[in-house]
């Protein structure tokens, strides 16, 4: 409410929240959480449901307070974590249950997360194309699909194009400009929110974020 009152109405204000599965993976640790999910699936789903209901209420309250939408980050939907069938049972129903609280937002985003420390990790991108959001975010520089491939897989707006641990974090300007132009070329500048593929490390020099902003402005 404070941010909205200070920024006015003409400014997208997005709250980052995580999927029920993501919270469990973070709280318990990935190996333990995955083992427990497979050992006692029904009890695990009860816990996920409680988290999903709490998130649903929080999302609704945030949007009522002035948020434009939710950036909903989802872990576990990768070949290095749960199988596609496991995520369909343990992830998707509780994602959708939570996202029911975000219906009042006009800029909701699903972020399908891949761990940058896991090599060969592929996300189940196509399993998220029917989520009730306007935008799909993922680390397209880290894992598939590419931006051009994604355009053929969904009608939603795409968010990505910049590697969150690449030129955006340490430069130089030419390399960063090349990434920007490659993303624009792949999508022909349509249905694209040019952004980093995931969160930028906290210790990144702020100058490179300003450089990226200037290069994008120059595209006009």
């Amino acid at each position: 409410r404070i941010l909205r009152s200070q920024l006015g109405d003409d400014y997208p204000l997005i709250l980052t929240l995580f999927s029920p599965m993501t919270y469990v993976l973070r709280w318990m640790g990935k190996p333990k959480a995955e083992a427990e999910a497979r050992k006692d699936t029904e009890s695990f789903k009860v816990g996920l449901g409680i988290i999903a209901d709490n998130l649903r209420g929080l999302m609704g309250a945030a949007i009522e307070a002035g948020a434009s939408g939710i950036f909903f980050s989802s872990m576990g939907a990768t070949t290095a974590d749960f199988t596609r069938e496991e995520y369909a049972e343990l992830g998707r129903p509780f994602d959708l249950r939570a996202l029911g609280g975000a219906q009042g937002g006009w800029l909701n985003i699903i972020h399908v997360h891949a761990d940058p420390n896991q090599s060969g990790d592929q996300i189940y991108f196509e399993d998220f194309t029917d989520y009730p959001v306007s935008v799909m975010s993922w680390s397209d520089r880290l894992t598939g699909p590419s931006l051009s491939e994604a355009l053929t897989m969904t009608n939603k707006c795409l968010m990505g194009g910049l590697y969150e641990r690449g030129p955006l974090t340490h430069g130089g300007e030419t390399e960063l400009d090349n990434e920007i132009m490659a993303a624009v070329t792949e999508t022909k500048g349509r249905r694209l929110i040019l952004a980093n593929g995931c969160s930028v490390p906290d210790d990144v020099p702020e100058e490179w974020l300003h450089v990226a902003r200037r290069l994008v402005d120059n595209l006009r």
Side-chain angles (χ1 to χ4, degrees):
R1 289 192 182 97
I2 292 172
L3 285 170
R4 179 56 71 201
S5 68
Q6 293 179 350
L7 295 170
D9 294 332
D10 190 23
Y11 192 99
L13 184 57
I14 310 298
L15 175 65
T16 296
L17 291 172
F18 300 91
S19 70
M21 179 62 75
T22 301
Y23 283 112
V24 173
L25 292 173
R26 291 294 192 190
W27 289 335
M28 297 179 67
K30 189 179 292 186
K32 182 178 180 182
E34 291 176 355
E36 289 296 324
R38 290 165 178 146
K39 182 176 71 174
D40 188 358
T41 301
E42 292 309 310
S43 295
F44 197 83
K45 289 195 289 187
V46 170
L48 289 170
I50 294 170
I51 298 169
D53 288 341
N54 285 329
L55 283 171
R56 183 186 181 104
L58 177 57
M59 290 181 189
I63 290 171
E64 184 180 350
S68 307
I70 304 298
F71 183 93
F72 189 71
S73 181
S74 179
M75 290 177 61
T78 80
T79 53
D81 299 310
F82 293 101
T83 66
R84 188 184 298 274
E85 293 73 24
E86 285 175 330
Y87 197 85
E89 179 181 4
L90 296 169
R92 178 184 172 91
F94 303 100
D95 290 347
L96 298 178
R97 192 157 150 184
L99 283 169
Q103 292 179 349
W106 65 269
L107 188 55
N108 292 316
I109 303 157
I110 178 69
H111 173 70
V112 190
H113 182 78
D115 191 334
N117 297 317
Q118 294 175 181
S119 60
D121 197 2
Q122 294 297 308
I123 62 174
Y124 306 136
F125 181 90
E126 57 271 39
D127 294 349
F128 291 83
T129 56
D130 64 345
Y131 271 41
V133 299
S134 302
V135 183
M136 294 193 68
S137 163
W138 76 106
S139 294
D140 63 286
R141 297 287 176 176
L142 180 66
T143 182
S146 67
L147 288 172
S148 58
E149 290 171 333
L151 280 175
T152 68
M153 299 167 69
T154 179
N155 292 323
K156 298 184 190 303
C157 182
L158 308 180
M159 176 180 280
L162 302 180
Y163 181 36
E164 62 272 18
R165 297 170 187 264
L168 188 64
T169 67
H170 52 71
E173 185 167 332
T174 299
E175 289 77 9
L176 185 53
D177 190 43
N178 287 341
E179 273 200 344
I180 291 172
M181 294 309 302
V184 172
T185 299
E186 278 195 74
T187 60
K188 297 181 174 60
R190 304 186 66 178
R191 281 201 286 134
L192 174 66
I193 297 176
L194 185 67
N196 45 297
C198 194
S199 58
V200 176
D202 293 339
D203 59 352
V204 169
E206 194 171 315
E207 63 174 299
W208 294 114
L209 304 181
H210 290 293
V211 170
R213 176 74 261 175
R214 172 169 53 80
L215 291 172
V216 170
D217 286 340
N218 289 344
L219 290 174
R220 300 172 184 173

